[in-house]
Amino acid sequence: MTGFIRYILLGCIAFSALYPSAQDKAMAIPEDGLPLAQIFDGRVPDPAVYHQHSNKVYFIWGANKPAQPGGIVTSKYFPSIRNPDRKRDIEWYQKNHPEWILYKADQATPAYGYIYDYGGLVPLDVSNPAVREYYLNEFILPAVQKGYPVVAMDNVDLGNWPGAVGRFTNGKWEQLYTGKKNDTTFQNNMIRWIQFLADRLHPLGVRVAANIKANSAAPEAVLRMMQAADIWLDENGFTHTGKNVTGGAWERQRSFLEQIAATKGYISINQLKGTLDKAAPAQLEWVIANFLLLRGPQSLLAPTGFEKKAIYQEFHYRPEVDLNIGTPTGKPHKVQNIWIRPYQKGMVCVNPSPQDTATFTLPEGNWKTISGAVKRGTLQLEPGSGYVLIKDQAAE
C-alpha cells in the first residue's frame, strides 16, 4: 500500500509540473456594481483601461495572452466542432484523418457552417472518441499549459445549422444526422462533447465557457447544455443586433437565468444600435436594468455596439456603466406587469412587453433615473423599456 501511495503522489507531482498554471482560478466578482467582461482583446493596446473606471473588467472571452494585469481571468478561444488550426485544412484532413470530417447530405460538401476569406474551418465529428481526444490533446491542453484557466467554446449551438449529415468510415458513407436543425442525436452529441471537456478539464482546475444560443433547441435540451458548461456566454443578451429582446424571447432568457445565474457563470453580451458611445441612453438603461434584474453572483455584463456586425475586440466605455446601486436585497418579481428587483440604494424596473405600456406605483419618495430625471408616484414604462432607479436620500 505504501508503494502504491508513493506512486500516486509521484504521478500528481508530474501532473502539476506538466500543467503548472492549471489552477481553479475563480473570478472574484463583486456582488455590487456592474462587473464587466471583454469580448476579444485584439484591438485593446493597453489593458490598463480595464481598471480605469469604477466598474472593472473581470474576464476576457478569447484573450490573446493568458496573463493579464489585475488578476483578470482569461480564456482561450476554440470554434466548438471546427478545427481551430487553419494550417490543417480540408486537404490535410482528407489525407490524414478522412473519417473525422463531417459532410452535408450530398456526401461531398464539408459542413463548414461559416466560410471566411481564407475558406472554412474543417468540421469535425465530435461524436467520435478519437476526435475528442485529438482536439483535447492537440489544441486545448497546449493552451492550458500556457496558463489559460478557461476554454471558450464558440458556436455551441444545439441546432444543426451547418447541415451536417454524415461521415465516411473506411471509405463507406455513414449517416449520423438528418441534416435538419432540430435533430436529437446532434443535440445529444453536442452536449456530450461539452460534458467530455468539463470532465477532463475540471481535474486540471480549468473551466469551460460556452457560447450557447438559448433558442437553438427545446428548453430542456438547452438547459442540459448550460448545465454541462461552467459559464454561459449569452451573445443575444437583452439587446441583439441593435434591437431590444422582448416578449417570448425575453421570457425565455429570464427563465434560463432563473435556473442558471445562481450557480453558473453568465456573460451577457448586448449589441446596442450604433457604437456604444453614441447608443441611445434609453437602450443602454434597458440593458443595465435587465442585467441587474437577473444577475447572479457570477454574472458579467458585456455591452458593445452593432453596425452591420457586432463591434468586438475593442474596449468600450460609457459613464453610465460606472453605476453602483449596491447589492440586491430581494429576488426578481412581477408587480403590475412590470418586473422589479430591489437593491440597497434603489431598484430596477423592466417592461418586457413588445407592445403594451405598463405602469407601476413607486414607493414613497423621489427616485432618480441614470440620466438624473426624478420619478415619483406612478412610473410609466413604454414597451421594451427599463429603468434603474436610485433612491434620492437627500430629498427625504
Short mmCIF file of all heavy atoms in Angstrom, two decimals, residues 300-337:
data_model
loop_
_atom_site.label_atom_id
_atom_site.label_comp_id
_atom_site.label_asym_id
_atom_site.label_seq_id
_atom_site.Cartn_x
_atom_site.Cartn_y
_atom_site.Cartn_z
N LEU A 300 -21.60 38.64 -15.50
CA LEU A 300 -20.82 39.74 -16.04
C LEU A 300 -21.55 40.37 -17.22
O LEU A 300 -22.23 39.69 -17.98
CB LEU A 300 -19.44 39.24 -16.52
CG LEU A 300 -18.53 38.62 -15.46
CD1 LEU A 300 -17.35 37.93 -16.13
CD2 LEU A 300 -18.05 39.67 -14.48
N LEU A 301 -21.39 41.68 -17.36
CA LEU A 301 -22.04 42.43 -18.43
C LEU A 301 -21.01 42.81 -19.50
O LEU A 301 -19.91 43.26 -19.18
CB LEU A 301 -22.69 43.70 -17.87
CG LEU A 301 -23.38 44.64 -18.87
CD1 LEU A 301 -24.55 43.94 -19.54
CD2 LEU A 301 -23.85 45.91 -18.16
N ALA A 302 -21.40 42.64 -20.77
CA ALA A 302 -20.51 43.00 -21.88
C ALA A 302 -21.29 43.83 -22.90
O ALA A 302 -21.77 43.30 -23.90
CB ALA A 302 -19.94 41.75 -22.53
N PRO A 303 -21.43 45.15 -22.67
CA PRO A 303 -22.12 45.99 -23.64
C PRO A 303 -21.20 46.32 -24.80
O PRO A 303 -20.00 46.59 -24.61
CB PRO A 303 -22.46 47.24 -22.83
CG PRO A 303 -21.39 47.30 -21.78
CD PRO A 303 -20.99 45.89 -21.47
N THR A 304 -21.73 46.30 -26.01
CA THR A 304 -20.93 46.64 -27.18
C THR A 304 -21.85 47.27 -28.23
O THR A 304 -23.06 47.34 -28.04
CB THR A 304 -20.24 45.39 -27.75
OG1 THR A 304 -19.33 45.77 -28.79
CG2 THR A 304 -21.24 44.40 -28.31
N GLY A 305 -21.27 47.76 -29.31
CA GLY A 305 -22.06 48.36 -30.36
C GLY A 305 -22.34 47.38 -31.50
O GLY A 305 -21.77 46.29 -31.56
N PHE A 306 -23.23 47.80 -32.39
CA PHE A 306 -23.55 46.97 -33.56
C PHE A 306 -23.77 47.88 -34.76
O PHE A 306 -24.68 48.71 -34.77
CB PHE A 306 -24.81 46.14 -33.31
CG PHE A 306 -25.13 45.21 -34.45
CD1 PHE A 306 -24.58 43.94 -34.50
CD2 PHE A 306 -25.97 45.61 -35.49
CE1 PHE A 306 -24.86 43.08 -35.56
CE2 PHE A 306 -26.25 44.77 -36.55
CZ PHE A 306 -25.70 43.49 -36.59
N GLU A 307 -22.91 47.73 -35.76
CA GLU A 307 -23.04 48.42 -37.05
C GLU A 307 -22.74 47.41 -38.14
O GLU A 307 -21.58 47.13 -38.44
CB GLU A 307 -22.07 49.59 -37.13
CG GLU A 307 -22.41 50.77 -36.23
CD GLU A 307 -21.45 51.92 -36.39
OE1 GLU A 307 -20.22 51.67 -36.53
OE2 GLU A 307 -21.92 53.08 -36.40
N LYS A 308 -23.79 46.80 -38.70
CA LYS A 308 -23.70 45.71 -39.67
C LYS A 308 -23.21 44.42 -39.01
O LYS A 308 -23.62 43.33 -39.38
CB LYS A 308 -22.80 46.08 -40.85
CG LYS A 308 -23.34 47.22 -41.71
CD LYS A 308 -22.46 47.47 -42.91
CE LYS A 308 -23.02 48.59 -43.76
NZ LYS A 308 -22.17 48.87 -44.95
N LYS A 309 -22.32 44.53 -38.04
CA LYS A 309 -21.89 43.39 -37.24
C LYS A 309 -21.51 43.90 -35.85
O LYS A 309 -21.33 45.10 -35.64
CB LYS A 309 -20.73 42.65 -37.90
CG LYS A 309 -19.48 43.48 -38.03
CD LYS A 309 -18.37 42.64 -38.68
CE LYS A 309 -17.07 43.42 -38.79
NZ LYS A 309 -15.99 42.61 -39.38
N ALA A 310 -21.39 42.97 -34.92
CA ALA A 310 -21.03 43.35 -33.55
C ALA A 310 -19.62 43.92 -33.52
O ALA A 310 -18.72 43.45 -34.21
CB ALA A 310 -21.13 42.14 -32.64
N ILE A 311 -19.43 44.94 -32.71
CA ILE A 311 -18.13 45.60 -32.58
C ILE A 311 -17.41 45.00 -31.37
O ILE A 311 -17.51 45.50 -30.25
CB ILE A 311 -18.29 47.13 -32.44
CG1 ILE A 311 -19.13 47.69 -33.60
CG2 ILE A 311 -16.93 47.81 -32.41
CD1 ILE A 311 -19.49 49.15 -33.45
N TYR A 312 -16.69 43.91 -31.63
CA TYR A 312 -15.89 43.29 -30.58
C TYR A 312 -14.43 43.75 -30.70
O TYR A 312 -14.13 44.67 -31.44
CB TYR A 312 -15.96 41.76 -30.70
CG TYR A 312 -17.34 41.18 -30.52
CD1 TYR A 312 -17.71 40.00 -31.17
CD2 TYR A 312 -18.29 41.78 -29.71
CE1 TYR A 312 -18.96 39.44 -31.01
CE2 TYR A 312 -19.56 41.24 -29.53
CZ TYR A 312 -19.89 40.06 -30.19
OH TYR A 312 -21.14 39.51 -30.03
N GLN A 313 -13.55 43.14 -29.94
CA GLN A 313 -12.10 43.38 -29.97
C GLN A 313 -11.68 44.65 -29.24
O GLN A 313 -10.57 44.73 -28.72
CB GLN A 313 -11.56 43.45 -31.42
CG GLN A 313 -11.86 42.26 -32.28
CD GLN A 313 -10.90 41.10 -32.09
OE1 GLN A 313 -9.91 41.23 -31.37
NE2 GLN A 313 -11.19 39.99 -32.70
N GLU A 314 -12.54 45.66 -29.18
CA GLU A 314 -12.18 46.96 -28.60
C GLU A 314 -12.79 47.10 -27.20
O GLU A 314 -13.80 46.48 -26.90
CB GLU A 314 -12.68 48.10 -29.48
CG GLU A 314 -12.23 48.01 -30.92
CD GLU A 314 -13.01 48.96 -31.83
OE1 GLU A 314 -13.85 49.71 -31.31
OE2 GLU A 314 -12.77 48.94 -33.05
N PHE A 315 -12.16 47.94 -26.38
CA PHE A 315 -12.74 48.26 -25.07
C PHE A 315 -13.70 49.43 -25.22
O PHE A 315 -13.36 50.46 -25.80
CB PHE A 315 -11.65 48.63 -24.07
CG PHE A 315 -12.19 49.04 -22.73
CD1 PHE A 315 -12.66 48.09 -21.83
CD2 PHE A 315 -12.24 50.38 -22.36
CE1 PHE A 315 -13.17 48.47 -20.60
CE2 PHE A 315 -12.74 50.77 -21.13
CZ PHE A 315 -13.21 49.80 -20.24
N HIS A 316 -14.92 49.25 -24.73
CA HIS A 316 -15.96 50.28 -24.85
C HIS A 316 -16.35 50.79 -23.47
O HIS A 316 -16.45 50.02 -22.51
CB HIS A 316 -17.20 49.72 -25.55
CG HIS A 316 -16.91 49.11 -26.89
ND1 HIS A 316 -16.69 49.87 -28.02
CD2 HIS A 316 -16.78 47.83 -27.28
CE1 HIS A 316 -16.46 49.08 -29.05
NE2 HIS A 316 -16.50 47.83 -28.63
N TYR A 317 -16.58 52.08 -23.38
CA TYR A 317 -16.92 52.68 -22.09
C TYR A 317 -17.97 53.78 -22.25
O TYR A 317 -17.94 54.55 -23.21
CB TYR A 317 -15.67 53.26 -21.43
CG TYR A 317 -15.97 54.12 -20.22
CD1 TYR A 317 -16.33 53.53 -19.02
CD2 TYR A 317 -15.92 55.51 -20.30
CE1 TYR A 317 -16.64 54.32 -17.91
CE2 TYR A 317 -16.21 56.30 -19.19
CZ TYR A 317 -16.57 55.70 -18.01
OH TYR A 317 -16.88 56.47 -16.93
N ARG A 318 -18.90 53.81 -21.32
CA ARG A 318 -19.87 54.90 -21.16
C ARG A 318 -19.95 55.23 -19.68
O ARG A 318 -19.92 54.32 -18.84
CB ARG A 318 -21.25 54.47 -21.67
CG ARG A 318 -21.44 54.57 -23.17
CD ARG A 318 -21.91 55.94 -23.61
NE ARG A 318 -23.28 56.22 -23.22
CZ ARG A 318 -24.35 56.03 -24.01
NH1 ARG A 318 -24.21 55.52 -25.21
NH2 ARG A 318 -25.56 56.35 -23.58
N PRO A 319 -20.08 56.51 -19.31
CA PRO A 319 -20.16 56.85 -17.88
C PRO A 319 -21.27 56.11 -17.14
O PRO A 319 -21.13 55.80 -15.95
CB PRO A 319 -20.43 58.36 -17.90
CG PRO A 319 -19.82 58.83 -19.19
CD PRO A 319 -20.06 57.71 -20.17
N GLU A 320 -22.38 55.79 -17.84
CA GLU A 320 -23.48 55.09 -17.18
C GLU A 320 -23.07 53.73 -16.64
O GLU A 320 -23.67 53.20 -15.69
CB GLU A 320 -24.65 54.90 -18.15
CG GLU A 320 -25.30 56.20 -18.62
CD GLU A 320 -24.77 56.64 -19.96
OE1 GLU A 320 -23.53 56.59 -20.17
OE2 GLU A 320 -25.58 57.04 -20.82
N VAL A 321 -22.04 53.14 -17.25
CA VAL A 321 -21.60 51.80 -16.85
C VAL A 321 -20.91 51.81 -15.49
O VAL A 321 -20.70 50.77 -14.89
CB VAL A 321 -20.71 51.19 -17.95
CG1 VAL A 321 -20.21 49.81 -17.58
CG2 VAL A 321 -21.47 51.11 -19.27
N ASP A 322 -20.58 52.99 -14.97
CA ASP A 322 -19.99 53.08 -13.64
C ASP A 322 -21.03 53.03 -12.53
O ASP A 322 -20.71 53.22 -11.35
CB ASP A 322 -19.16 54.36 -13.51
CG ASP A 322 -17.74 54.18 -14.02
OD1 ASP A 322 -17.30 53.02 -14.12
OD2 ASP A 322 -17.08 55.18 -14.32
N LEU A 323 -22.26 52.77 -12.89
CA LEU A 323 -23.37 52.72 -11.93
C LEU A 323 -23.12 51.69 -10.83
O LEU A 323 -22.61 50.61 -11.08
CB LEU A 323 -24.67 52.37 -12.67
CG LEU A 323 -25.92 52.21 -11.82
CD1 LEU A 323 -26.48 53.57 -11.46
CD2 LEU A 323 -26.96 51.38 -12.56
N ASN A 324 -23.54 52.04 -9.60
CA ASN A 324 -23.49 51.10 -8.49
C ASN A 324 -24.63 51.42 -7.54
O ASN A 324 -24.61 52.45 -6.86
CB ASN A 324 -22.15 51.17 -7.76
CG ASN A 324 -21.97 50.04 -6.76
OD1 ASN A 324 -22.93 49.49 -6.24
ND2 ASN A 324 -20.72 49.68 -6.49
N ILE A 325 -25.63 50.56 -7.48
CA ILE A 325 -26.76 50.76 -6.56
C ILE A 325 -26.72 49.71 -5.44
O ILE A 325 -27.74 49.38 -4.85
CB ILE A 325 -28.11 50.74 -7.28
CG1 ILE A 325 -28.34 49.44 -8.03
CG2 ILE A 325 -28.23 51.93 -8.23
CD1 ILE A 325 -29.76 49.30 -8.61
N GLY A 326 -25.52 49.21 -5.16
CA GLY A 326 -25.36 48.26 -4.07
C GLY A 326 -25.68 46.84 -4.49
O GLY A 326 -25.69 46.51 -5.68
N THR A 327 -25.93 46.01 -3.52
CA THR A 327 -26.24 44.61 -3.77
C THR A 327 -27.76 44.40 -3.75
O THR A 327 -28.49 45.16 -3.12
CB THR A 327 -25.59 43.71 -2.72
OG1 THR A 327 -26.06 44.10 -1.42
CG2 THR A 327 -24.07 43.85 -2.76
N PRO A 328 -28.24 43.35 -4.41
CA PRO A 328 -29.69 43.10 -4.39
C PRO A 328 -30.18 42.72 -3.00
O PRO A 328 -29.48 42.02 -2.26
CB PRO A 328 -29.86 41.94 -5.39
CG PRO A 328 -28.51 41.32 -5.52
CD PRO A 328 -27.51 42.40 -5.27
N THR A 329 -31.35 43.20 -2.66
CA THR A 329 -31.94 42.87 -1.35
C THR A 329 -33.16 41.96 -1.52
O THR A 329 -33.88 41.71 -0.54
CB THR A 329 -32.35 44.15 -0.61
OG1 THR A 329 -33.27 44.90 -1.42
CG2 THR A 329 -31.13 45.00 -0.31
N GLY A 330 -33.39 41.49 -2.71
CA GLY A 330 -34.51 40.60 -2.98
C GLY A 330 -34.37 39.98 -4.35
O GLY A 330 -33.46 40.30 -5.11
N LYS A 331 -35.28 39.08 -4.66
CA LYS A 331 -35.26 38.40 -5.95
C LYS A 331 -36.15 39.13 -6.96
O LYS A 331 -37.02 39.92 -6.58
CB LYS A 331 -35.74 36.96 -5.78
CG LYS A 331 -34.82 36.09 -4.95
CD LYS A 331 -35.34 34.66 -4.88
CE LYS A 331 -34.40 33.77 -4.07
NZ LYS A 331 -34.88 32.37 -4.01
N PRO A 332 -35.94 38.88 -8.25
CA PRO A 332 -36.82 39.47 -9.26
C PRO A 332 -38.25 38.99 -9.05
O PRO A 332 -38.49 37.81 -8.78
CB PRO A 332 -36.26 38.95 -10.58
CG PRO A 332 -34.87 38.49 -10.28
CD PRO A 332 -34.88 38.05 -8.86
N HIS A 333 -39.20 39.90 -9.16
CA HIS A 333 -40.60 39.51 -9.05
C HIS A 333 -41.46 40.47 -9.88
O HIS A 333 -41.04 41.58 -10.20
CB HIS A 333 -41.07 39.47 -7.60
CG HIS A 333 -40.92 40.76 -6.87
ND1 HIS A 333 -39.70 41.21 -6.39
CD2 HIS A 333 -41.83 41.71 -6.52
CE1 HIS A 333 -39.87 42.37 -5.78
NE2 HIS A 333 -41.15 42.71 -5.86
N LYS A 334 -42.66 40.03 -10.17
CA LYS A 334 -43.54 40.77 -11.07
C LYS A 334 -44.59 41.53 -10.27
O LYS A 334 -45.25 40.96 -9.39
CB LYS A 334 -44.22 39.81 -12.05
CG LYS A 334 -44.75 40.43 -13.31
CD LYS A 334 -45.23 39.35 -14.27
CE LYS A 334 -45.69 39.94 -15.58
NZ LYS A 334 -46.15 38.87 -16.51
N VAL A 335 -44.72 42.82 -10.57
CA VAL A 335 -45.74 43.67 -9.94
C VAL A 335 -46.39 44.52 -11.03
O VAL A 335 -45.71 45.25 -11.74
CB VAL A 335 -45.12 44.59 -8.87
CG1 VAL A 335 -46.19 45.50 -8.27
CG2 VAL A 335 -44.43 43.78 -7.78
N GLN A 336 -47.70 44.39 -11.17
CA GLN A 336 -48.44 45.21 -12.15
C GLN A 336 -47.82 45.10 -13.55
O GLN A 336 -47.60 46.10 -14.23
CB GLN A 336 -48.48 46.67 -11.70
CG GLN A 336 -49.17 46.87 -10.35
CD GLN A 336 -49.02 48.28 -9.81
OE1 GLN A 336 -48.78 48.50 -8.63
NE2 GLN A 336 -49.19 49.29 -10.67
N ASN A 337 -47.53 43.87 -13.98
CA ASN A 337 -46.98 43.57 -15.31
C ASN A 337 -45.56 44.10 -15.51
O ASN A 337 -45.06 44.13 -16.64
CB ASN A 337 -47.89 44.11 -16.42
CG ASN A 337 -49.24 43.44 -16.42
OD1 ASN A 337 -49.34 42.22 -16.21
ND2 ASN A 337 -50.30 44.21 -16.64
#
